[in-house]
Amino acid sequence: PKGWGDVIHTYLVQLDELVNRNGWSIYVAQVKEKFGTLRFYADVFDANGIPCPWGLSDDIDRFHELIREMESETGRVCCYCGARENVRCYGGWSHYACPSCETRWSHGLS
């Protein structure tokens, strides 16, 4: 959703720095929304194309931690406008929104 743009950008910049500093390549298997938050599935490979598992280095662990932080952060911002105040889950698990956007969305307004 549009409201996640700043969150995703912030974390992708940090992930890109780790990847470039270490000479890795990454394979992004899937990016989706599930239960109202982002899911980002990626694997890291060294310069020889060998997978880099968790625990191999602090930077590999940090790469995966950044992904989990990014996913978690999408549950703290309005998925429509990116607001960070009074955001809560609506529909049980379907989306996180601020009250203003939720009112517009639930009434079919843009």
Side-chain angles (χ1 to χ4, degrees):
K2 181 180 179 179
W4 293 354
D6 288 342
V7 170
I8 292 171
H9 179 263
T10 298
Y11 281 94
L12 288 181
V13 166
Q14 294 176 68
L15 290 167
D16 188 55
E17 289 172 0
L18 272 175
V19 167
N20 289 328
R21 181 174 66 228
N22 288 283
W24 300 331
S25 59
I26 62 168
Y27 172 72
V28 178
Q30 199 174 122
V31 178
K32 65 182 181 179
E33 176 274 331
K34 185 174 181 179
F35 301 120
T37 60
L38 175 72
R39 295 295 187 274
F40 189 97
Y41 302 101
D43 295 310
V44 180
F45 298 86
D46 69 15
N48 297 314
I50 298 171
C52 302
W54 284 71
L56 186 65
S57 74
D58 289 343
D59 280 349
I60 293 290
D61 291 347
R62 181 66 184 143
F63 178 87
H64 292 290
E65 287 170 15
L66 285 168
I67 290 173
R68 301 302 161 246
E69 289 173 17
M70 177 174 57
E71 292 173 335
S72 180
E73 192 66 22
T74 60
R76 295 185 193 97
V77 299
C78 175
C79 65
Y80 301 107
C81 72
R84 293 180 173 272
E85 294 193 21
N86 300 316
V87 172
R88 67 182 195 96
C89 184
Y90 290 90
W93 54 266
S94 62
H95 63 280
Y96 289 82
C98 66
S100 176
C101 287
E102 176 58 22
T103 298
R104 288 195 307 271
W105 181 81
S106 65
H107 289 88
L109 306 172
S110 55

